[in-house]
Amino acid sequence: MVWILAAAGAVGSVAAQLAKAHGCRVIGSAGSDEKVTYLKDVLGLDAAFNWRDGLDRPLSEFAPEGIDVYFGSVGGDHLKAALTHLRRLGRVALCGAIAGYDGQPPAAPDSLFNATTKDINLRGFLAGTFADRLPEARKHLAELWRSGDLNLDLARYEGLESAPQAIVDMLSGRTTGKCVVTLG
């Protein structure tokens, strides 16, 4: 079982669809009921929930035996919940920490010791870390796009003057997919 955070966003939606395309059962979380519907009806995830309603109950319900992989871009309470619900030998991919973008970085969760007791692999990464695999990734993503197994939603904003609102909307969770500002 894979849990993808911010699963309606640009990165999370692709991660969720890649996991599905490779045969994984996927739980997505998002910050609104509309996005939860999008995750289930448009992206076809196995389960989805609104994190604003809590984390532990839906994770216990949708993954009663635990999760195997956590793809996180939020940090804070979400990472704490993941460490609690990960199974032994679980894997964590950390690609961001949105919870700390507007202030002090979130403190390490008090459940961090679970990484030791459950022998969990935590790995942070930046996209450029795997730049050598870009041709392979492009080919694979293009194949998924052509087959209809990859949906790329765009939140479009027109003109440079709309860029500040686009950033505010994206960071506050008002968009799905990639946020794009078109110039000219």
Side-chain angles (χ1 to χ4, degrees):
M1 180 66 71
V2 178
W3 177 27
I4 308 284
L5 296 194
V11 175
S13 65
V14 172
Q17 291 175 88
L18 284 171
K20 286 295 296 175
H22 289 275
C24 298
R25 294 197 62 233
V26 179
I27 300 170
S29 59
S32 74
D33 293 340
E34 294 78 18
K35 286 183 179 184
V36 168
T37 299
Y38 170 79
L39 295 175
K40 292 189 288 190
D41 295 350
V42 177
L43 298 188
L45 302 191
D46 298 289
F49 66 93
N50 184 337
W51 62 265
R52 295 179 197 279
D53 296 333
L55 299 167
D56 288 322
R57 185 191 49 76
L59 288 171
S60 295
E61 177 185 336
F62 297 134
E65 295 180 23
I67 56 175
D68 301 293
V69 177
Y70 164 80
F71 184 89
S73 57
V74 176
D77 289 345
H78 293 75
L79 179 57
K80 178 181 178 177
L83 291 169
T84 299
H85 290 274
L86 274 158
R87 294 163 37 120
R88 187 172 185 287
L89 300 174
R91 291 174 287 162
V92 175
L94 301 170
C95 71
I98 294 168
Y101 286 0
D102 62 353
Q104 294 295 325
D110 57 12
S111 60
L112 191 57
F113 191 63
N114 283 340
T116 301
T117 62
K118 294 180 180 182
D119 202 10
I120 293 170
N121 181 352
L122 287 94
R123 168 85 191 255
F125 69 94
L126 299 172
T129 304
F130 303 100
D132 61 314
R133 298 188 69 188
L134 188 56
E136 174 189 352
R138 281 185 177 147
K139 180 179 184 229
H140 184 58
L141 290 168
E143 288 169 357
L144 290 172
W145 174 260
R146 280 192 295 275
S147 71
D149 291 327
L150 182 62
N151 178 315
L152 299 174
D153 197 16
L154 293 176
R156 296 177 191 268
Y157 293 79
E158 298 294 327
L160 187 57
E161 66 280 357
S162 70
Q165 187 63 52
I167 292 170
V168 168
D169 289 352
M170 178 191 61
L171 291 176
S172 64
R174 291 186 210 124
T175 62
T176 57
K178 186 78 171 168
C179 190
V180 176
V181 176
T182 304
L183 304 178

